[in-house]
C-alpha cells in the first residue's frame, strides 16, 4: 500500500482501506483451519512459511474483488481503464511474476488492474494479483513515470506475498478480536467500526497494513520495474512529496506506532537513490509520458462527485436519485456507493441508508430485518415520510456480543425504489438518539431544488501555460466546491508562488 493514511482525512482513508467482511472472514478461517504453508517466494526464489498457499491467495483476491468494486465503484472511463491496464501489464512483464525461472503457478496468474471511483488518494493490492488505484491518486500524479512507480509498488506487494507473510504473524487471539466487527456486519449489515472501534482498528492494522520492511521492498520493486521499462523512476519521489504536503496541510500526522509505512520524507530521498542505482546498471530512464498522462486526466472528475450525493445546508441531497433528508447537528456523513452512513460523535449512534433491491414494499423490507434471529420487536407499524411517501417502521433490540443494541428500522418507497434505514445505538442510550433517528427518516422527501438537481462535478481541465507567471496567477478567481488554492498547487506538484514557464502543462479544476 502506498501510504495514503498520511495523506487525507484519516477517517475517510481508513474507511477506504477497510477490508470487507468476506476477506476478514476468509483470512480468519484460513488462519484457524490450516497450519503454515511452506512455498517459494517469487522474488527471492527461496522457500519460506506463509499463512496460506498461492492458490488460497488467488481465492482471496477473487472473493474480495467484487466486494471492493461494489463498495467503492469503478471510474466510468473505458479509455482510462484500458490505459491503466496496459501500463500494469507492461510492468508485469518485467516483474518477478514473469521472469525466467519463476514457478508456473506465478507466471500463469492473471492480474487485474482497476481504477476506483474515489477521491481518496490511495493505491492498494489484494493477494493473488488485484491492483487498485483511485482517481484521487491519479489526479495527484503528473506523469506516467510516477504512475508506473506506484503500480509497480503494488505489483511488488503481490509478488512478495506480503499479505500472506503478514497474516502468518497474527495470533489466534488477534483474530478473535476481529470477531467483534465481523458479528456487527453479519447480523446488521452495518460497519463493524461503528460498533467496536478497537476491533475495526485491529482489523485494519492486521489485514491492510504491511510492515515497514514490506513497504520498503515494494518501493524498491516499484523503482526496479519502472526503470526496466525506461521510465524516469526518480519521479516517484514527487508523489511522496505531495503526500507529505497533504499531510502537513491537513495536520494528519499518524503516530509511528500506528503507521507501518516509512514516512514520505524518507521515501522522497530513497526513491531517487534507488533509481540512480538502476541507471548505473545500464537502464536508461528517459520516459516521462507527461503528455500522454495528462491527456488521460483531461475531464476526469476531481474531488467528491456531487451527483452521487453530498451534504449542504443541513441536508444530505442526492441529485441523481432526486431525494434528500436532514442531517442533524453533531452527525458526520460518510457517503459510499453502496450506502450512506451518519455517525454521531465517536460512534455512539449510527444511521445507515441503503437501497433495498430484494423487497418490493416498505413492510417487506422492515420484516426481513426484524424477523432475523436475535431481534426482539418492541413495536412496528405503517407511516409516511414527509406526509406523502409510503413507509413502515419498527423498533426493537438485538444482542451484539456483550452489548444490547437499540435499533430503529425504517423503509420508505420513493420513485419505485425501497430505501431502508437501519439506525442503532447501545440500548442504554437509545432514547437519547431516537428523536434524531425519527427526524431523519420521517423527513425523507423529494428533491426539487433545480440548482442542486443540475449540479455538475468538478473536472480537471488540462491547459498549457502561455506566459511566464506564478502558478497562483493561473488559478480562477473563484475555485469550485470550497477548494483551496493550496489544494490545486499540490495536485500540480508546485507551490503557489512557483514561476510557471510557457509550455508547462497544468491541471485546473473547473465546474
Amino acid at each position: 500500500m502506498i501510504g495514503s493514511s498520511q495523506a487525507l482525512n484519516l477517517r475517510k482513508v481508513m474507511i477506504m482501506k477497510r477490508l470487507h467482511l468476506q476477506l476478514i472472514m476468509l483470512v480468519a478461517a484460513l488462519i484457524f483451519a490450516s497450519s503454515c504453508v511452506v512455498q517459494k517466494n517469487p522474488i527471492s526464489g527461496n522457500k519460506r512459511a506463509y499463512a496460506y498457499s498461492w492458490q488460497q491467495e488467488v481465492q482471496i483476491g477473487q472473493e474480495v474483488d467484487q466486494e471492493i468494486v461494489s463498495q467503492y465503484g469503478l471510474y466510468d472511463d473505458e479509455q482510462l481503464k484500458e490505459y491503466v491496464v496496459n501500463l500494469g501489464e507492461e510492468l508485469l512483464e518485467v516483474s518477478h511474476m514473469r521472469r525466467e525461472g519463476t514457478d508456473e503457478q506465478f507466471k500463469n496468474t492473471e492480474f487485474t488492474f482497476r481504477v476506483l471511483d474515489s477521491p481518496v488518494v490511495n493505491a492498494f493490492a489484494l493477494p493473488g494479483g488485484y491492483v487498485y488505484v483511485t482517481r484521487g491518486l491519479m489526479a495527484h500524479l503528473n506523469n506516467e513515470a510516477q504512475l508506473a512507480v506506484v503500480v509497480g509498488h503494488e505489483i511488488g506487494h503481490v509478488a512478495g506475498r506480503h499479505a500472506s507473510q503478514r497474516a502468518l504473524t497474527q495470533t489466534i487471539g488477534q483474530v478473535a478480536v476481529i470477531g467483534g466487527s465481523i458479528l456487527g456486519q453479519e447480523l446488521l449489515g452495518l460497519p463493524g467500526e461503528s460498533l467496536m472501534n478497537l476491533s475495526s482498528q485491529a482489523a485494519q492494522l492486521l489485514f491492510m497494513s504491511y510492515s515497514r520492511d514490506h513497504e520498503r521492498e515494494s518501493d524498491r520493486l516499484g523503482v526496479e520495474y519502472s526503470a526496466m521499462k525506461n521510465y524516469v523512476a526518480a519521479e516517484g519521489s514527487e508523489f511522496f512529496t505531495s503526500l507529505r504536503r497533504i499531510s502537513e496541510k491537513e495536520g494528519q500526522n499518524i503516530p509511528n506506532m500506528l503507521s507501518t509505512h516509512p514516512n514520505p520524507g524518507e521515501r522522497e530521498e530513497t526513491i531517487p537513490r534507488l533509481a540512480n542505482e538502476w541507471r548505473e546498471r545500464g537502464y536508461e530512464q528517459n520516459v516521462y509520458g507527461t503528455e500522454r498522462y495528462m491527456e488521460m486526466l483531461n475531464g476526469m472528475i476531481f474531488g467528491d462527485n456531487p451527483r452521487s450525493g453530498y451534504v449542504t445546508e443541513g441536508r444530505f441531497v442526492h441529485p441523481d436519485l432526486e431525494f434528500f433528508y436532514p442531517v442533524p447537528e453533531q452527525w458526520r456523513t460518510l457517503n459510499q456507493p453502496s450506502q450512506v452512513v451518519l455517525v454521531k460523535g465517536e460512534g455512539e449512534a449510527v444511521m445507515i441508508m441503503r437501497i433495498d433491491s430484494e423487497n418490493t414494499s416498505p413492510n417487506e423490507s422492515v420484516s426481513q430485518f426484524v424477523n432475523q434471529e436475535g431481534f426482539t420487536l418492541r413495536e412496528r407499524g405503517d407511516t409516511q415520510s414527509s406526509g406523502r411517501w409510503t413507509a413502515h417502521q419498527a423498533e426493537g433490540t438485538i444482542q451484539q456480543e456483550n452489548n444490547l443494541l437499540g435499533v430503529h428500522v425504517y423503509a420508505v418507497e420513493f420513485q419505485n425504489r425501497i430505501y431502508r434505514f437501519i439506525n442503532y445505538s447501545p440500548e442504554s442510550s437509545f432514547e437519547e438518539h431516537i428523536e434524531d433517528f425519527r427526524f431523519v427518516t420521517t423527513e425523507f422527501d423529494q428533491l426539487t431544488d433545480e440548482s442542486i438537481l443540475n449540479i455538475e462535478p468538478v473536472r480537471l481541465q488540462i491547459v498549457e501555460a502561455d506566459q511566464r507567471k506564478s502558478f497562483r496567477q493561473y488559478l480562477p478567481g473563484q475555485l469550485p466546491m470550497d477548494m483551496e488554492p493550496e489544494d490545486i498547487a499540490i495536485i500540480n506538484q508546485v507551490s503557489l508562488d512557483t514561476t510557471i514557464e510557457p509550455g508547462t502543462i497544468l491541471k485546473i479544476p473547473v465546474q
Side-chain angles (χ1 to χ4, degrees):
M1 196 170 301
I2 285 297
S4 60
S5 54
Q6 302 204 34
L8 289 178
N9 179 279
L10 182 56
R11 293 188 182 280
K12 195 170 185 180
V13 177
M14 286 305 223
I15 288 171
M16 180 67 195
K17 293 166 63 178
R18 186 195 303 125
L19 272 179
H20 213 267
L21 172 62
Q22 252 182 315
L23 176 59
I24 297 175
M25 295 184 71
L26 182 56
V27 172
L30 288 168
I31 294 174
F32 279 121
S34 63
S35 58
C36 68
V37 177
V38 177
Q39 287 189 331
K40 276 188 177 182
N41 181 298
I43 297 172
S44 67
N46 298 326
K47 289 187 176 181
R48 61 157 296 155
Y50 296 95
Y52 26 85
S53 70
W54 181 251
Q55 289 75 18
Q56 289 171 322
E57 290 187 46
V58 172
Q59 179 189 356
I60 290 171
Q62 291 173 341
E63 291 284 338
V64 181
D65 173 59
Q66 291 307 310
E67 295 292 330
I68 293 291
V69 171
S70 174
Q71 188 76 5
Y72 304 112
L74 297 178
Y75 187 62
D76 187 16
D77 185 325
E78 284 298 317
Q79 187 177 14
L80 183 67
K81 170 187 173 181
E82 183 178 355
Y83 172 78
V84 172
V85 168
N86 289 341
L87 176 64
E89 292 293 341
E90 180 183 0
L91 296 168
L92 192 59
E93 289 176 2
V94 295
S95 77
H96 290 84
M97 300 298 294
R98 298 290 187 265
R99 293 183 182 178
E100 184 177 353
T102 299
D103 282 3
E104 291 300 312
Q105 65 173 345
F106 304 128
K107 278 188 176 181
N108 294 333
T109 299
E110 293 185 8
F111 270 61
T112 299
F113 300 92
R114 299 196 188 281
V115 181
L116 298 179
D117 187 12
S118 169
V120 174
V121 182
N122 201 12
F124 61 97
L126 293 178
Y130 292 83
V131 174
Y132 307 84
V133 296
T134 63
R135 60 174 172 82
L137 177 139
M138 295 192 70
H140 283 76
L141 304 179
N142 262 7
N143 54 52
E144 193 171 293
Q146 294 176 11
L147 180 61
V149 174
V150 171
V151 174
H153 174 107
E154 300 305 333
I155 293 174
H157 277 312
V158 178
R161 305 183 66 180
H162 293 157
S164 193
Q165 290 184 43
R166 183 70 170 154
L168 186 65
T169 67
Q170 310 314 320
T171 66
I172 290 177
Q174 287 172 316
V175 174
V177 169
I178 300 171
S181 63
I182 290 176
L183 189 58
Q185 297 189 44
E186 191 172 38
L187 287 180
L188 299 176
L190 310 178
E193 177 191 25
S194 302
L195 296 173
M196 299 180 66
N197 281 326
L198 179 61
S199 294
S200 75
Q201 184 181 59
Q204 292 158 17
L205 292 175
L206 296 182
F207 292 104
M208 284 302 277
S209 296
Y210 302 112
S211 71
R212 284 186 176 87
D213 286 342
H214 290 158
E215 289 297 332
R216 291 186 177 113
E217 179 176 51
S218 286
D219 283 346
R220 176 176 61 79
L221 294 172
V223 170
E224 176 180 339
Y225 300 158
S226 54
M228 292 179 73
K229 283 294 184 178
N230 300 122
Y231 286 108
V232 183
E235 280 290 296
S237 68
E238 296 296 330
F239 170 62
F240 290 105
T241 301
S242 295
L243 287 186
R244 176 176 53 79
R245 291 177 65 188
I246 298 170
S247 177
E248 291 170 353
K249 180 178 182 295
E250 299 296 330
Q252 300 290 352
N253 292 316
I254 299 175
N256 286 336
M257 66 179 181
L258 293 180
S259 174
T260 61
H261 298 84
N263 67 63
E266 173 189 331
R267 299 164 102 169
E268 288 175 58
E269 297 177 0
T270 301
I271 288 176
R273 176 178 57 78
L274 293 172
N276 189 57
E277 290 175 3
W278 282 96
R279 183 176 292 105
E280 291 176 350
R281 296 184 193 185
Y283 288 92
E284 185 178 2
Q285 299 169 44
N286 53 17
V287 178
Y288 287 89
T290 302
E291 291 186 6
R292 182 167 57 234
Y293 187 76
M294 290 296 187
E295 182 182 346
M296 290 297 107
L297 291 193
N298 195 30
M300 174 186 278
I301 293 175
F302 178 62
D304 291 317
N305 184 354
R307 301 295 312 168
S308 299
Y310 65 102
V311 175
T312 179
E313 298 180 346
R315 302 184 301 169
F316 177 80
V317 298
H318 200 299
D320 276 350
L321 298 179
E322 300 181 3
F323 70 79
F324 76 89
Y325 55 82
V327 176
E329 293 184 5
Q330 300 180 340
W331 290 75
R332 68 181 188 275
T333 304
L334 308 172
N335 185 20
Q336 298 173 295
S338 61
Q339 62 188 15
V340 181
V341 184
L342 302 184
V343 182
K344 186 173 184 180
E346 294 303 313
E348 57 257 35
V350 176
M351 294 187 243
I352 310 274
M353 187 210 71
R354 292 177 177 167
I355 294 176
D356 182 352
S357 58
E358 297 180 8
N359 296 290
T360 58
S361 72
N363 191 313
E364 289 179 7
S365 183
V366 171
S367 294
Q368 182 188 50
F369 185 87
V370 302
N371 289 339
Q372 69 178 300
E373 183 178 354
F375 188 90
T376 301
L377 181 66
R378 287 177 178 169
E379 61 180 71
R380 66 179 296 178
D382 292 328
T383 185
Q384 288 184 322
S385 289
S386 297
R388 56 176 178 157
W389 309 112
T390 301
H392 193 84
Q393 64 179 347
E395 292 174 10
T397 60
I398 192 166
Q399 190 70 33
Q400 165 67 40
E401 287 283 288
N402 297 321
N403 299 317
L404 185 65
L405 299 179
V407 184
H408 172 254
V409 188
Y410 191 100
V412 55
E413 184 173 2
F414 175 71
Q415 293 188 350
N416 299 316
R417 294 185 182 92
I418 305 298
Y419 293 87
R420 183 169 68 188
F421 292 79
I422 300 175
N423 308 329
Y424 67 96
S425 72
E427 199 277 336
S428 59
S429 60
F430 186 70
E431 291 303 318
E432 300 174 21
H433 306 295
I434 188 61
E435 285 190 16
D436 281 348
F437 293 161
R438 292 171 179 167
F439 173 57
V440 168
T441 54
T442 58
E443 295 296 317
F444 181 101
D445 204 352
Q446 184 172 11
L447 182 63
T448 58
D449 186 329
E450 291 294 330
S451 65
I452 296 177
L453 289 170
N454 296 325
I455 195 169
E456 291 295 330
V458 177
R459 295 183 183 272
L460 293 180
Q461 183 178 65
I462 305 304
V463 300
E464 184 176 322
D466 57 358
Q467 299 179 50
R468 189 177 189 272
K469 58 185 181 182
S470 71
F471 179 76
R472 188 190 306 271
Q473 292 175 294
Y474 275 100
L475 295 178
Q478 184 173 359
L479 291 171
M481 298 290 287
D482 298 323
M483 293 177 183
E484 300 178 5
E486 180 65 13
D487 297 325
I488 314 309
I490 290 173
I491 69 171
N492 281 277
Q493 298 178 358
V494 297
S495 71
L496 287 170
D497 295 322
T498 296
T499 299
I500 304 300
E501 298 294 338
T504 303
I505 301 176
L506 301 174
K507 296 171 281 189
I508 305 297
V510 296
Q511 188 176 27

